[in-house]
Amino acid sequence: MDKQNDQSRMDKIVSLAKRRGFVFQSSEIYGGLNGFWDYGPLGVALKRNVKDAWWRDMVAGHDELATLTGAPSPYEMTGLDCTIIMHPQVWKCSGHFDLFHDWMIDCRESKRRYRYDHLHGRWAAHRGKKVFVTTEASGDEAVPETVARAQKFFGLRAKQVDEIEWGGGLESLEQVIAAGSATLADTLGPDAAAPGSLTEPREFNLMFETRIGALAGDDDDRAFLRPETAQGIFVNFKNVLDTSRVRVPFGIAQVGKSFRNEITPRNFTFRSREFEQMEIEFFCKPAESAEWYRFWRDRRWKWYLGLGLTEGRLQLREHHRDELSHYSVGTADIEYAFPFLAEGEFGELEGIAHRGDFDLRSHMEGKLIRKDGELVVETGPDGKPRHRGSGKDLSYFDDVSRERYVPHVIEPSAGADRGTLAFLCDAFHEDEVPDEDGKPRSRTVMKFHPRLAPVKAAILPLVKKDGMPEVAIDLYRALKPHMACQYDEKGSVGRRYARQDEAGTPWCLTIDGQTLADKTVTLRDRDSLVQSRVPIADVVDLLRDKLA
Ligand code: ATP
């Protein structure tokens, strides 16, 4: 297998994404805006196909009468579309207002800002001078980076590098400072020439704030752009129960924009400040929740495989107990080996969390904290709830078993942009194909799963005469109501194939001399390059079957 994790591969993907109209930098003509991305003509179709596949497979196409493999019973699925700005109390009770923080650290010298938990370093000494050298790099690149930085700091030539004495392996800056074994005064920032340029870490709430109303001014008008779509589902739980016939177990799905003022947006669309999520809150009986958790974890894992992500580049990672949120009974991440990461590293595509009854209780009773192993309402100095809940009863009455309980929640929470980026990276291939004269020509081909491909078929008349365009246009019109297709008569057929390969179009249909004689067309398969003759009359059904 060729080396997949390298920056040059990522650079090629980013450049193709720009050149072919998958992804543009937001507001590019004004110099761009860090952490914000726009989807171009091919990108919007790709991302829409990812979201549509998710909605179809999880919600619209779900068979409510069947017991799916691994599921304890049949279940129902429904959906919601909630607002981005919600009552500020929602975020106080959910915990985001108090807890949704990252620690950031600034460098006075380089003027750069870092996530505190992203910095690592190690002690280096040379002729009595000692410094804690830090880097933002991770994986295989981190150690060579510290060597290069120390060499520069001590003013050494390459052959003197062995004179540096190292005080051990890489350690997290956060932990070293907490343990008192280094101070910020001893620390050489990742982009600084001298130690002591890093500021004390500061807490930073990731929620974007806004004001509601024309006369906004006092604190009561403060509102937030949602950092996740999930809370809209919890606060509508009762509305859904009261207005539809759903019964536990059931899931509510939502796709929509979320906003996080990330300290260091990076890695193309991977960490953006505005992004889309595809979330399900699945409500079940507490006694069955562990089984449902396993069901959803496995089901979501298979979804990515079914849409063609390379299994060897995917990882299902069960969180250790000390990594779990204070309310979580179990969490697993589905991760992908993005090419911008070091070899052996993975980035999160989706988290599947067992959240117990934390969310529904928070919105009933008020913000919860864990005390002596129990979730209790957090109180202020006056003994009253720190953040008061809605007071509404969000319990569920099971009219068959005659039991009343607060359902437990399993939450598969996926990022539409991260998923789209993984599909984009996984699809990128470079190979060689014979050109029209049989000579090898290198090609870039996006091997998207046909369901995700922005364009499913291209219809190409071999030449712009002899009645071929007319036949091709008829075929285009027959196919268009069923799938996204393009008509292209410009340039040599080889160039037209190359354009479609870069766009990831799975099938090309060429109308040639033989078409006029026997009403067949050439069907070219993007991946195998096999060309077969198909009667025009069969094309629509054939491609529809392939897409089904
Ligand atoms: P990370 O640790 O990478 O910041 P997270 O654990 O905070 O992610 P969640 O809160 O679990 O992420 O959000 C669920 C999903 O939403 C993630 O798996 C990811 O796909 C997506 N997501 C979260 N933050 C971002 C972001 N800044 N940009 C793009 N997608 C995001």
Side-chain angles (χ1 to χ4, degrees):
M1 199 160 90
D2 53 335
K3 192 165 180 264
Q4 301 265 327
N5 288 55
D6 64 46
Q7 197 53 45
S8 71
R9 181 180 164 82
M10 193 62 209
D11 292 344
K12 285 184 197 166
I13 294 169
V14 172
S15 121
L16 177 122
K18 165 87 200 287
R19 181 162 48 80
R20 291 309 314 266
F22 282 97
V23 180
F24 306 129
Q25 216 185 349
S26 162
S27 323
E28 195 187 312
I29 61 167
Y30 288 103
L33 192 60
N34 198 9
F36 296 88
W37 298 94
D38 294 336
Y39 288 83
L42 286 178
V44 68
L46 174 66
K47 185 170 156 189
R48 184 170 297 272
N49 292 342
V50 171
K51 291 186 286 180
D52 285 351
W54 183 86
W55 190 266
R56 201 165 165 77
D57 296 344
M58 297 301 121
V59 188
H62 170 63
D63 180 349
E64 302 183 337
L65 308 176
T67 304
L68 302 189
T69 315
S73 67
Y75 64 91
E76 294 175 73
M77 286 299 295
T78 184
L80 273 176
D81 183 11
C82 307
T83 60
I84 284 169
I85 295 177
M86 299 171 68
H87 194 292
Q89 198 64 16
V90 169
W91 308 111
K92 292 187 174 159
C93 291
S94 70
H96 287 85
F97 184 79
D98 290 342
L99 301 172
F100 198 50
H101 292 246
D102 273 341
W103 290 88
M104 64 178 181
I105 199 159
D106 287 308
C107 176
R108 293 186 205 94
E109 187 191 317
S110 67
K111 305 282 175 254
R112 287 200 53 196
R113 174 165 287 174
Y114 311 97
R115 277 238 328 240
Y116 195 26
D117 61 339
H118 283 176
L119 299 188
H120 290 78
R122 47 186 198 140
W123 279 107
H126 185 254
R127 300 205 179 143
K129 229 169 138 187
K130 231 178 131 187
V131 67
F132 190 74
V133 185
T134 62
T135 172
E136 256 195 310
S138 55
D140 292 348
E141 288 159 26
V143 166
E145 170 78 12
T146 53
V147 175
R149 309 247 10 264
Q151 181 194 341
K152 202 162 166 206
F153 174 72
F154 293 123
L156 305 177
R157 283 197 290 273
K159 60 179 183 201
Q160 294 175 288
V161 157
D162 292 343
E163 295 173 14
I164 303 173
E165 290 166 43
W166 293 100
L170 277 177
E171 291 176 275
S172 133
L173 177 65
E174 205 172 353
Q175 281 164 20
V176 170
I177 299 278
S181 45
T183 66
L184 288 172
D186 307 318
T187 303
L188 180 67
D191 299 283
S197 66
L198 295 180
T199 61
E200 286 293 328
R202 278 184 292 152
E203 244 180 332
F204 180 77
N205 194 303
L206 298 182
M207 283 198 293
F208 277 100
E209 229 180 280
T210 186
R211 301 254 165 201
I212 299 177
L215 290 175
D218 67 48
D219 238 24
D220 288 349
D221 305 314
R222 267 171 94 195
F224 304 93
L225 305 193
R226 66 180 177 199
E228 60 173 36
T229 62
Q231 299 304 321
I233 299 179
F234 295 126
V235 301
N236 275 295
F237 173 70
K238 200 159 162 40
N239 277 338
V240 173
L241 269 188
D242 291 349
T243 56
S244 60
R245 294 176 55 223
V246 287
R247 300 172 40 80
V248 168
F250 72 95
I252 307 180
Q254 175 165 218
V255 179
K257 287 261 169 135
S258 292
F259 301 79
R260 296 183 188 179
N261 202 356
E262 299 279 0
I263 295 171
T264 47
R266 66 167 91 202
N267 291 333
F268 204 27
T269 58
F270 181 82
R271 188 171 300 288
S272 308
R273 289 180 164 140
E274 174 174 342
F275 55 95
E276 252 178 301
Q277 291 184 307
M278 310 185 290
E279 295 196 293
I280 295 170
E281 303 307 324
F282 187 79
F283 301 94
C284 59
K285 245 183 167 158
E288 291 177 353
S289 60
E291 245 179 301
W292 282 114
Y293 165 66
R294 286 192 291 275
F295 164 75
W296 277 106
R297 185 196 58 194
D298 299 346
R299 176 129 202 260
R300 294 301 306 143
W301 164 258
K302 284 188 207 131
W303 187 77
Y304 289 100
L305 288 179
L307 285 172
L309 283 191
T310 308
E311 187 160 4
R313 302 184 65 73
L314 268 183
Q315 162 169 296
L316 184 68
R317 191 176 68 83
E318 207 55 73
H319 285 208
H320 301 296
R321 281 219 74 79
D322 53 1
E323 259 188 285
L324 295 178
S325 320
H326 58 294
Y327 48 76
S328 184
V329 177
T331 296
D333 286 344
I334 298 174
E335 302 177 330
Y336 181 74
F338 285 99
F340 50 77
L341 297 172
E343 205 71 41
E345 287 198 1
F346 291 79
E348 176 181 329
L349 291 180
E350 169 161 354
I352 298 101
H354 181 308
R355 300 177 61 93
D357 57 7
F358 175 80
D359 305 278
L360 290 177
R361 276 189 56 201
S362 302
H363 289 300
M364 284 197 275
E365 303 167 29
K367 189 192 160 206
L368 300 176
I369 49 167
R370 190 172 284 281
K371 213 172 177 183
D372 305 327
E374 294 285 311
L375 284 174
V376 295
V377 175
E378 185 180 3
T379 47
D382 54 2
K384 292 191 182 143
R386 178 166 158 70
H387 296 302
R388 201 174 285 284
S390 68
K392 300 280 183 298
D393 180 7
L394 302 180
S395 65
Y396 174 79
F397 181 69
D398 185 331
D399 51 16
V400 176
S401 67
R402 315 294 300 165
E403 290 168 273
R404 181 170 286 284
Y405 56 87
V406 179
H408 276 198
V409 167
I410 313 300
E411 177 189 76
S413 169
D417 304 86
R418 285 205 189 159
T420 302
L421 183 60
F423 288 118
L424 196 71
C425 293
D426 213 73
F428 181 86
H429 286 81
E430 293 176 297
D431 60 11
E432 280 197 343
V433 294
D435 69 8
E436 278 141 279
D437 306 320
K439 291 205 201 87
R441 160 181 83 75
S442 60
R443 80 165 175 165
T444 302
V445 53
M446 299 300 286
K447 295 190 176 177
F448 294 121
H449 188 286
R451 284 181 73 192
L452 302 183
V455 181
K456 313 297 182 198
I459 296 107
L460 319 170
L462 189 62
V463 289
K464 270 192 269 181
K465 55 182 185 186
D466 302 336
M468 289 183 206
E470 289 76 5
V471 178
I473 289 168
D474 282 349
L475 179 57
Y476 164 79
R477 292 202 174 123
L479 210 51
K480 191 81 183 190
H482 303 282
M483 65 194 69
C485 58
Q486 278 182 355
Y487 173 80
D488 186 5
E489 56 173 31
K490 293 193 195 82
S492 73
V493 81
R495 286 183 66 115
R496 283 182 272 167
Y497 283 153
R499 273 203 291 274
Q500 295 300 335
D501 285 343
E502 274 194 345
T505 306
W507 304 295
C508 286
L509 297 152
T510 308
I511 285 76
D512 52 21
Q514 198 180 326
T515 311
L516 307 176
D518 67 3
K519 295 195 165 40
T520 62
V521 294
T522 304
L523 173 68
R524 172 191 182 262
D525 183 277
R526 175 196 68 197
D527 300 344
S528 67
L529 294 169
V530 168
Q531 305 206 6
S532 47
R533 295 225 55 106
V534 179
I536 293 191
D538 296 350
V539 166
V540 172
D541 284 347
L542 183 82
L543 296 194
R544 285 184 63 185
D545 286 351
K546 280 178 186 280
L547 276 173

